[in-house]
Amino acid sequence: MPKFYITTAIDYSNGDPHLGHALEKIGADCIARYRRLAGDAVHFLMGMDEHSQSVIQAAAAAGVTPQAWVDRMASSFADYWRRLQCSNDDWIRTTEPRHARAVTALLERIRARHPDDLFEAEYAGLYCTGCEEFKTGAQIVDGHCIEHPTLTLIPTKERNHFFRLSGYRDAVLERIRSGVLAVEPEIRRNEVVRLLEAGLQDISISRQRQPWGIPFPGDPQQTVYVWFDALINYLSATGFPDAGYDRLWPADLHVIGKGITRFHCIIWPAMLLAAELPPPRAVWAHGYVQWSGAKMSKTAGTAVSLGEAIDHYGADALRYFLLREVGFANDGDFTWERFDARYTADLANTLGNLVKRSLDMIHSYRAGTVPKGERGAGPLGPPGPPGPLDDAARVCSAAYQKAMDACRLEEGAVQWMELAGRANRYIQETAPWELKKAGKDAELDTVLASLARTVARLAVLAHPFVPTTSETIWGLFGPPAPLAQVRLAHLSDLDVGGRAVAKPPILFPKPRLAPA
RNA sequence: GGCGGCGUAGCUCAGCUGGUUAGAGCAGCGGAAUCAUAAUCCGCGGGUCGUCGGUUCGAGUCCGACCGCCGCUACCA
């Protein structure tokens, strides 16, 4: 059983999670759940990034200690991820001892293997005494810090530890070009390659005057710069440097936002190479959730809160909407109109109604027991002659797996829904109610058995996207095996003939249109 | 400024290495059916494929210019 170590970016502890955070976690969770269905030994990591100056500021503003602040934030984020059914196996926080230990160990390992890669140098920049940090770029307006326009920025020099990033340009570039380190989607890979081709500068990896951080090994006067610290979380969670960490490492997939490819595709691999550790195998950089085509910015006042979006139709519906409509590669729009349209057309009308009508007919015509049809096999027995829906399931499932293997989650969702659509057409074509009236029992058995099989298969394909609904549908058959034990490879053999089915619920109720 | 991407039916998008009447889903309109959440199924799409010019027997599909969006170019998690 191949292992599959997948991670999300760890979130910064300075505000509540929003739809953008949610898209990333849901997408990663979708991939993790899919890999489990495919039979991999999945290890799925999520967590929090809890160091740096802005944490101190946020804590001070809230009148609590930094630790109390990050505890509160971590609890809040974790609560949202539970509501969204994230199936992470581990949850790491960069304030944990296991993380500090790994950061120290990694730096010491670099120093031991490539001593020249770490050196001290002067860092010069504009320092804001209000923020207690260096300011660059857009943080400076008219020569003043945007947070403290009345203060004067002070040109300051600071002695820092540096990492010789420049020495790893060729090695990282070669890995990305050859695909040994896969960067997807392609547009992100091209951006990274161009960045590498343009050349790299060495980077400062320590800070003075930053008490809220991990002490720099051998120089307790300084702390490890927050980005350098944060990236290492993926390694910390494997147990590094203890023996056995390589049961998980290297990571098979880092799921991140498109804005941080530079850190994950260039700096992080270089850090690992310097320590003579294998770089990750793949990085997937998703796009952003927009609100009516505009950026969803925290400062501009987010148009919709994550809590609202979850409460609207439930976690499954939000998961499906984000993955199907917003997508996991490009930017996409969240609007209530689109959410409603997707929910109604796909989840309620196509899938929910299919499950309901199919199983209701089994109750009306066969007293709630799935006919064995022409198959006559047990619950997971060998298939008999395949019907049109079995063919459709095979085709859709193959396309689904091809898409999901490539992290094209939208396409996976399309294929899943396509099978449900085929089943609806099958009902129309075979008209079971006519078969019932005409007393064509054998044909009716075949049709109902075929529908039941298809519904069960849809429950399996649904799992990465709508885990709760998936379990609900699967549970209706009183299945012999928990869904967690089902594998995609068994899908064609899946049968529910002879099983008693529960009365189907309305899976995705449509709110009555409110009178105007 | 540098590098790159996008601009195809009301909406979201497919259209690979150029080749018969430009496609899908959703929405809309018409019809059928009644197992089902008034759900489903069938039928209906003349949209200058951003603009202009070029290459070619032939171009959303290649080249150039232009217009309009957008991304990456920050030691901002």
Side-chain angles (χ1 to χ4, degrees), chain A residues 82-241:
Chain A
R82 274 194 299 276
R83 287 171 70 188
L84 285 169
Q85 304 293 314
C86 290
S87 63
N88 54 305
D89 301 288
D90 195 1
W91 173 254
I92 192 164
R93 300 173 53 190
T94 57
T95 50
E96 290 179 78
R98 61 170 171 162
H99 177 65
R101 205 170 62 106
V103 170
T104 304
L106 184 74
L107 278 165
E108 286 175 345
R109 183 164 163 141
I110 293 173
R111 187 175 282 150
R113 312 249 172 158
H114 298 278
D116 291 344
D117 284 351
L118 297 178
F119 60 95
E120 290 187 58
E122 287 278 318
Y123 178 87
L126 294 170
Y127 194 80
C128 173
T129 53
C131 298
E132 294 284 338
E133 65 182 1
F134 287 100
K135 295 290 170 181
T136 57
Q139 292 175 312
I140 301 172
V141 174
D142 297 331
H144 295 278
C145 165
I146 53 177
E147 300 287 337
H148 301 91
T150 57
L151 299 177
T152 303
L153 286 166
I154 302 169
T156 307
K157 284 185 184 174
E158 177 173 304
R159 192 147 190 89
N160 287 149
H161 296 272
F162 277 70
F163 171 58
R164 198 178 303 282
L165 181 64
S166 58
Y168 290 92
R169 186 192 86 137
D170 293 348
V172 173
L173 186 54
E174 196 282 323
R175 277 172 172 75
I176 292 175
R177 276 184 172 150
S178 68
V180 172
L181 167 52
V183 178
E184 301 284 349
E186 188 179 20
I187 180 169
R188 309 285 67 113
R189 176 169 66 246
N190 292 341
E191 283 176 3
V192 169
V193 165
R194 274 177 243 116
L195 254 180
L196 283 163
E197 287 170 344
L200 298 176
Q201 292 193 324
D202 297 334
I203 55 171
S204 160
I205 60 168
S206 73
R207 286 291 184 279
Q208 293 182 9
R209 312 187 246 286
Q210 296 268 12
W212 190 242
I214 296 169
F216 199 90
D219 187 353
Q221 298 304 108
Q222 303 212 24
T223 52
V224 178
Y225 175 57
V226 63
W227 254 110
F228 202 84
D229 160 356
L231 286 164
I232 299 170
N233 89 86
Y234 307 122
L235 185 60
S236 311
T238 67
F240 180 85

Side-chain angles (χ1 to χ4, degrees), chain A residues 268-325:
Chain A
W268 178 225
M271 289 162 62
L272 290 160
L273 289 171
E276 296 182 7
L277 290 167
R281 296 191 208 283
V283 174
W284 179 273
H286 65 257
Y288 293 151
V289 182
Q290 304 194 324
W291 174 258
S292 298
K295 276 184 186 173
M296 232 191 235
S297 84
K298 277 181 290 189
T299 49
T302 308
V304 54
S305 79
L306 181 52
E308 274 182 289
I310 297 172
D311 290 341
H312 195 54
Y313 288 124
D316 272 4
L318 179 62
R319 289 174 61 109
Y320 178 74
F321 174 74
L322 288 176
L323 295 174
R324 172 64 184 84
E325 181 83 14

